[in-house]
Amino acid sequence: MALRRPPAAGRRRSTDSGVEPDRGALSREKKEQRVALFLRDFDQQAKENIQEMKKELDSLLQTAEKAFTVELLKMPVAIRKMKRKDLL
């Protein structure tokens, strides 16, 4: 694996990436539009993530309920009909 050389003493790296050369010249209106667009996108992604988590939760609850039902069926009828307080 090759080692990185330190930058030459006389050369400095530019902080400007060149992606948006006139970013400082953006008007306040455009900045507000970009922020609003970013926030809408963020909200949409959050809603999608919440919906996905709700689906996963429902699936987990159904699995737990099925497992509980199976375990109840394994128990004798007398114990199944007993109150939990009495069982404990």
Side-chain angles (χ1 to χ4, degrees):
M1 188 167 166
L3 297 176
R4 288 186 171 176
R5 291 186 304 164
R11 295 191 326 195
R12 288 191 177 168
R13 287 190 163 181
S14 172
T15 57
D16 185 18
S17 64
V19 175
E20 288 187 52
D22 61 337
R23 185 173 181 147
L26 286 177
S27 69
R28 182 173 185 85
E29 203 174 278
K30 280 202 172 216
K31 286 181 184 179
E32 288 175 0
Q33 288 176 351
R34 291 177 68 177
V35 168
L37 180 63
F38 173 78
L39 291 175
R40 275 185 285 180
D41 182 51
F42 183 84
D43 286 342
Q44 182 63 33
Q45 287 181 9
K47 287 178 184 176
E48 289 172 3
N49 287 338
I50 289 170
Q51 290 299 323
E52 186 178 323
M53 286 188 277
K54 284 181 180 179
K55 288 179 185 177
E56 289 177 19
L57 177 63
D58 288 340
S59 174
L60 288 172
L61 286 173
Q62 288 177 354
T63 302
E65 287 174 2
K66 288 178 184 176
F68 181 72
T69 303
V70 168
E71 291 301 318
L72 275 179
L73 291 174
K74 290 180 183 178
M75 293 180 180
V77 177
I79 294 178
R80 267 190 264 164
K81 291 185 179 182
M82 192 182 296
K83 292 182 180 180
R84 289 187 187 138
K85 183 180 176 183
D86 295 336
L87 178 65
L88 296 174

